[in-house]
Amino acid sequence: MRAPFIIRWPGKIPQDVKSNEIVHIVDVMPTIMGMVKGDIPKDRIIDGIDMTNFFTGKQTESGRKGFVIYVGDDLRAIKYGNWKVHFAWAEDKYAPVQRFSTVPKVVNLIRDQKEQIQAAEPYNTWIAFAVENVIGGYKESLKTEPNIPPGSSNDFRQ
């Protein structure tokens, strides 16, 4: 899903800048903490990336190449750059889930914002290597910080 991200900080963030770089919702907290020179919690892994240098124009890339997309505890897709690789697909939240067992559904999000056209073959097989890196990094992070089980309490004061 692509969603607009608008940020304003006169004198700090350049005006009228447009980008297709990835910024994820989990990046907001570490970015705000970086901007106000706050401390990031040290008692858990923070998935977000401080985007301060990207937003202030000190770097042209956001630093986030991709991310995993879960529905509950089901890995449904990987977003990587302007591409999304679906392992499972549902037209809407009430539709049955269609699983792709051999070739995932690959879409170019710039050309196909409705994610309708399979773009996997024969020229876009490179995406498999990029997606493997995202999945590998995610699985590695699970060794030290497993996912919170679906349905768990959201009381994290413990």
Side-chain angles (χ1 to χ4, degrees), residues 55-82:
F55 289 145
T56 57
K58 293 178 183 168
Q59 66 189 47
T60 57
E61 295 183 355
S62 72
R64 181 172 294 285
K65 298 294 180 198
F67 57 87
V68 296
I69 301 167
Y70 270 87
V71 175
D73 60 353
D74 186 20
L75 176 61
R76 295 278 180 94
I78 302 286
K79 169 111 171 34
Y80 186 84
N82 293 320

Side-chain angles (χ1 to χ4, degrees), residues 26-154:
V26 299
D27 300 327
V28 173
M29 188 272 286
T31 301
I32 290 172
M33 296 303 283
M35 288 175 169
V36 301
K37 309 291 189 238
D39 293 325
I40 301 292
K42 306 274 189 260
D43 63 337
R44 69 199 74 151
I45 292 175
I46 302 298
D47 293 326
I49 298 170
D50 182 349
M51 298 284 179
T52 303
N53 287 337
F54 173 61
F55 289 145
T56 57
K58 293 178 183 168
Q59 66 189 47
T60 57
E61 295 183 355
S62 72
R64 181 172 294 285
K65 298 294 180 198
F67 57 87
V68 296
I69 301 167
Y70 270 87
V71 175
D73 60 353
D74 186 20
L75 176 61
R76 295 278 180 94
I78 302 286
K79 169 111 171 34
Y80 186 84
N82 293 320
W83 297 82
K84 193 185 289 183
V85 177
H86 291 272
F87 306 111
W89 174 266
E91 285 296 322
D92 58 52
K93 66 182 181 178
Y94 303 108
V97 176
Q98 174 188 1
R99 303 222 175 262
F100 303 106
S101 61
T102 54
V103 177
K105 179 179 182 176
V106 178
V107 293
N108 179 323
L109 296 169
I110 297 295
R111 292 184 176 163
D112 180 19
Q113 294 178 5
K114 293 183 179 180
E115 302 182 34
Q116 297 174 327
I117 302 166
Q118 168 64 291
E121 299 184 66
Y123 305 108
N124 298 315
T125 55
W126 64 269
I127 193 74
F129 299 103
V131 165
E132 278 301 315
N133 285 334
V134 174
I135 292 173
Y138 174 71
K139 285 182 176 179
E140 190 64 30
S141 76
L142 291 177
K143 292 177 182 176
T144 56
E145 193 79 23
N147 285 341
I148 298 168
S152 296
S153 167
N154 65 354

